[in-house]
Amino acid sequence: MTIRNGISRRGLLAGAACMTAAGLILPRASWAQPGPKRGGSFRIGQFGGATSDTIDPATFAAGPVVTAMLAVCNNLVEIDAQGQAVPELAESYEPDAEARIWTFRIRDANFGDGRKVTARDVVASFNHHRGDDTVSGAKGALAQVRDIRADGDNVVVFELESGNADFAYLTSDYHFIIMPAKEDGTLDWQSGLGTGGYTLVDHEPGVRITLKRRDDYWKPDRAWFDDVTLLSIGDPTARQNALMTGEVDAINGPDLSTIHLLQRRPGITLVEATGTAHYTMPMFCDAAPFDDVNVRLALKHAINREELLEKILRGYGRVANDSPIAPANRYYAADLPQNGYDPDKARHYLKQAGHDGLTLELSASNAAFTGAVDAAQLFQQSAKAAGINVNVRREPEDGYWSNVWLKKPFCMGYWNGRPTEDDMFSLVYARGAEWNESHWDNQRFNELLLAARAELDEGLRAEMYHEMQGLVSQDGGTIIPVFVNYVDAHNDKVAHGEVASDRFFDGWKLVERWYAA
Amino acid sequence: MSGGAARSRPLRRMIGLRLGIGLLTLFLISVLVFLAVALLPGDIAQQILGQSATPETVAAFRRELGLDQPLPQRYLGWILGILQGDFGNSLANGRPVADLLAARLGNTLFLAGYAAAIAVPLSVLLGLLAALWRGSWFDRGVNVVSLSAISFPEFFIAYILMFWLSIRLGWFPSMADPGAAPSLAEMLGRAFLPAVTLVLVVTAHMMRMTRAAVVNVLGAPYVAMARLKGASRWRIVTRHALPNALAPIINVIALNIAWLITGVVIVEVVFVYPGLGQLMVDSVTNRDMPVVQACALIFAAVYILLNITADVLAIATNPRLLHPR
């Protein structure tokens, strides 16, 4: 104990030397290499901040708060640039033979106030999202967990209802940051303390968050900037101007319609990553006319995906094949036949379903995603050629997710996607899933889902997920026209290595991963 | 001078009466806002949880915040708190509403004061000069320029100013957020572009009203008398015409200042200025009732107070208004 405290006080160099000696898991950049260097400040302009923001991980919204808290805290596991799960605050982890009991060994690390992180804190951090009284958006993801217990100070054991080979990935979800526990075992999120490379100095909701580097961070090759400021800038033009005038060093979500102008500015670099985010158009498979798979196929062939990619996304995306599994996922099936725009084929499927023409109502709102109404209108035009009349019903943006999505039989939607096939499929495509937005129920798919979840043999899993993607694509009730790229921009004062593709801003971890150029 | 004391008493009575009516208005507004927010589809639990709302988490959220209680009971709890000076806590992030408001209100008042300090003298002066040189190129020029400025939407003016003065010339920052602990000079520099945007938006209104009121008075017989006795044109306008034209000018100035405090959310968004408007819009989106209510009360109070001030000043400068026929 005394030795560790001595190290933390002696500052980074001593700490780094010691950590390196202790053997490190992340072999990326090292001190000898040119590139990352300590120092400097970093100002980030991000959208999605609101005056209602809180640092409670249960009700996080995907704005500057999450980016900041992922720098203040660690997860048990993080996703690296290759999309692989690597241990973070967990030193190591292992499943039992059925992938049902998962044992995580917690590393030696301190919270911002010097306290040592223990298994108790980890248990509290997860229990915060479980139980009847939780308000957590991540509650569903932990429904599979039967019990979480601490085994001594450094070991946490998760007991699942059934085997899940991907459970480690799940713990990288931004909700599951590790914060200290209170005396009574509940989570002390109000403290704002974590084991990450930065401490929270100031948080004015919807305005700015200020972070300061910790000298005793356990990762030697992360957290380069001395101080970091995250500003909430909701207006895309204001965000771009702030970048151009040097008020901030990096922004996310530049306006795609003027991005060519931004790109022309000297010193500005775009960072683009094809992740798992995608637009969806769910159809209720248990309601006419969508209960006939031929109608679903007709609609899948009546949408012009290339046009959406070009006009809505300005090319910053990728055509999708009605399956939510993206090239960034491990078991992406690249060789499935592509559903393309083909009015004749669409007519053919309509005939099969016994329709001469078809009139549908499509609910749309830009709350689903920016440009959703335009996308619906483009679909209206392309579907007309196939004899399908789509009436675009413009819904209010306010309350869209509670009043329209999951309620109307055919609407526009959006998913950030998930790092694992199992997570994505069980969340939205499994029978009875809370968010099964298309009410799809395919027996073979549901069987495969359970089998693949507990399968530890990579080859067999790949085969199963391949078949499932085929099923979703051909039989599923959701049109998935395109994957959306994460686009960020930064100036020449900051630099970075290969960026992760699981979120924008280098997997939301730019605060600790990027460095001064 | 003996009339002074007699005159101030009815004035004082009028102020008292107006303040009483103002309080009643505030109460009615609080009821209306409460009902209006309650009528909006969805509640804070659904808004905050967004796409990830499930029936159980929404129910847990409502339980935690006491939203499962009936509407009248919630209103009563809120108003009793207000009467004891407790604005309550934000439903969204649990922070005291008073804390949330304090910094924002300061920023908003600063920006409004900054803009008004430029706009009011500028527009009154321009209005006087335009009245003085009625029909001249100056009169027409000022009218065309100020009317053009008011005709553009404010975000357009804001973007144009930002483009030239910030991105092209680099004289002023494009973001007005002053940071955590700014100096006055820094605040003035950072808030310059939004202040100028607001000045361009409000000047025309006040300038035109000044010009119209003064021109109106300039046709009166006593102005002709002043001219006959040989007073200079500037003296006629400032000493004879302006005091008699003050009432409508004060009214329009008060309305514009009220707008500067309550209606500048677009300018706040474009220049990333943390003011009250943004706070209120965010809170309405989230159905964060205590914050919406507090903002609405502040805005309503600003309007009521400025209107009372305008009336009192108008009467003080023109005692005839105290005795309506």
Side-chain angles (χ1 to χ4, degrees), chain B residues 85-111:
Chain B
D86 174 16
F87 278 86
N89 292 334
S90 156
L91 296 182
N93 56 19
R95 299 191 177 204
V97 174
D99 287 1
L100 282 177
L101 288 180
R104 302 288 188 126
L105 182 61
N107 285 341
T108 291
L109 292 179
F110 175 79
L111 182 59

Side-chain angles (χ1 to χ4, degrees), chain A residues 422-471:
Chain A
D422 179 62
D423 202 2
M424 188 70 233
F425 279 148
S426 17
L427 211 58
V428 190
Y429 296 85
R431 165 181 34 225
E434 198 104 50
W435 294 321
N436 187 333
E437 51 185 8
S438 62
H439 300 186
W440 189 53
D441 180 1
N442 182 301
Q443 182 148 8
R444 172 77 185 147
F445 178 91
N446 290 318
E447 283 167 15
L448 281 172
L449 183 62
L450 288 182
R453 184 179 298 159
E455 182 58 64
L456 287 172
D457 182 294
E458 286 287 313
L460 280 176
R461 282 193 98 191
E463 232 168 78
M464 293 186 206
Y465 283 128
H466 192 280
E467 186 182 345
M468 287 161 77
Q469 289 173 60
L471 285 171

Side-chain angles (χ1 to χ4, degrees), chain A residues 296-461:
Chain A
R296 307 203 288 264
L297 279 169
L299 289 169
K300 286 176 181 175
H301 286 94
I303 187 163
N304 191 339
R305 297 156 203 263
E306 279 80 12
E307 189 184 29
L308 286 187
L309 179 60
E310 180 199 335
K311 293 189 174 154
I312 306 292
L313 289 174
R314 310 268 161 174
Y316 289 91
R318 192 176 165 132
V319 165
N321 194 21
D322 303 317
S323 155
I325 306 307
N329 288 107
R330 282 174 301 166
Y331 303 111
Y332 172 64
D335 53 347
L336 289 176
Q338 172 70 43
N339 292 338
Y341 181 47
D342 188 341
D344 290 335
K345 219 171 186 173
R347 266 180 207 282
H348 164 77
Y349 282 121
L350 270 192
K351 280 244 162 56
Q352 296 270 309
H355 294 287
D356 259 344
L358 195 59
T359 300
L360 299 166
E361 188 167 272
L362 172 62
S363 298
S365 154
N366 286 340
F369 55 87
T370 315
V373 175
D374 294 339
Q377 276 157 354
L378 288 175
F379 175 57
Q380 181 180 45
Q381 292 308 315
S382 64
K384 201 174 267 171
I388 303 169
N389 277 321
V390 177
N391 296 324
V392 176
R393 185 184 165 120
R394 197 176 176 146
E395 305 279 357
E397 288 184 30
D398 221 17
Y400 183 79
W401 295 113
S402 36
N403 303 323
V404 179
W405 181 69
L406 292 183
K407 303 246 161 50
K408 295 287 169 77
F410 192 27
C411 69
M412 306 296 279
Y414 173 91
W415 282 95
N416 250 327
R418 290 294 185 276
T420 67
E421 289 73 8
D422 179 62
D423 202 2
M424 188 70 233
F425 279 148
S426 17
L427 211 58
V428 190
Y429 296 85
R431 165 181 34 225
E434 198 104 50
W435 294 321
N436 187 333
E437 51 185 8
S438 62
H439 300 186
W440 189 53
D441 180 1
N442 182 301
Q443 182 148 8
R444 172 77 185 147
F445 178 91
N446 290 318
E447 283 167 15
L448 281 172
L449 183 62
L450 288 182
R453 184 179 298 159
E455 182 58 64
L456 287 172
D457 182 294
E458 286 287 313
L460 280 176
R461 282 193 98 191

Side-chain angles (χ1 to χ4, degrees), chain A residues 9-271:
Chain A
R9 277 194 214 102
R10 245 176 285 150
L12 178 96
L13 275 176
C18 181
M19 297 271 190
T20 316
L24 269 154
I25 287 150
L26 301 159
R28 228 156 84 170
S30 88
W31 285 83
Q33 280 175 349
K37 56 175 187 281
R38 271 288 310 283
S41 25
F42 189 17
R43 287 164 65 88
I44 302 165
Q46 188 172 350
F47 70 83
T51 46
S52 53
D53 282 345
T54 153
I55 59 168
D56 180 0
T59 51
F60 265 166
V65 188
V66 175
T67 315
M69 291 314 284
L70 284 178
V72 172
C73 303
N74 294 125
N75 284 67
L76 289 180
V77 167
E78 71 176 317
I79 307 287
D80 70 3
Q82 283 74 41
Q84 297 294 323
V86 292
E88 194 178 19
L89 194 58
E91 204 165 47
S92 63
Y93 55 83
E94 63 184 318
D96 69 346
E98 295 171 316
R100 201 176 72 78
I101 313 264
W102 284 74
T103 310
F104 287 77
R105 181 166 291 277
I106 311 302
R107 102 178 28 252
D108 225 357
N110 291 341
F111 286 113
D113 62 353
R115 264 183 296 165
K116 186 166 138 39
V117 60
T118 66
R120 232 179 118 251
D121 302 313
V122 176
V123 172
S125 299
F126 278 87
N127 279 341
H128 190 53
H129 307 278
R130 301 171 71 221
D132 288 340
D133 284 327
T134 184
V135 298
S136 175
K139 184 180 179 180
L142 290 185
Q144 57 181 300
V145 176
R146 185 183 290 167
D147 185 37
I148 307 176
R149 58 179 180 271
D151 184 358
D153 268 357
N154 296 320
V155 175
V156 178
V157 181
F158 291 80
E159 192 185 331
L160 311 184
E161 295 287 347
S162 60
N164 182 355
D166 286 334
F167 185 71
Y169 277 85
L170 185 79
T171 63
S172 73
D173 185 293
Y174 63 93
H175 290 95
F176 307 138
I177 54 172
I178 307 302
M179 298 181 93
K182 285 185 197 154
E183 283 300 315
D184 62 357
T186 57
L187 188 68
D188 186 15
W189 60 265
Q190 295 88 340
S191 67
L193 291 171
T195 51
Y198 290 85
T199 49
L200 195 61
V201 176
D202 180 45
H203 174 212
E204 199 177 320
V207 182
R208 85 185 77 75
I209 303 170
T210 324
L211 304 176
K212 193 171 160 5
R213 189 184 191 282
R214 277 174 66 179
D215 284 335
D216 59 345
Y217 189 30
W218 59 269
K219 286 187 198 174
D221 59 346
R222 290 281 194 269
W224 308 99
F225 294 102
D226 288 334
D227 45 81
V228 177
T229 310
L230 295 110
L231 296 158
S232 296
I233 312 181
D235 183 53
T237 314
R239 212 157 49 237
Q240 265 164 239
N241 286 342
L243 179 67
M244 288 195 275
T245 55
E247 295 280 325
V248 297
D249 303 312
I251 60 168
N252 68 345
D255 188 356
L256 293 181
S257 56
T258 57
I259 202 162
H260 54 288
L261 299 173
L262 185 69
Q263 223 166 355
R264 279 213 307 250
R265 299 279 300 196
I268 304 282
T269 313
L270 292 185
V271 183

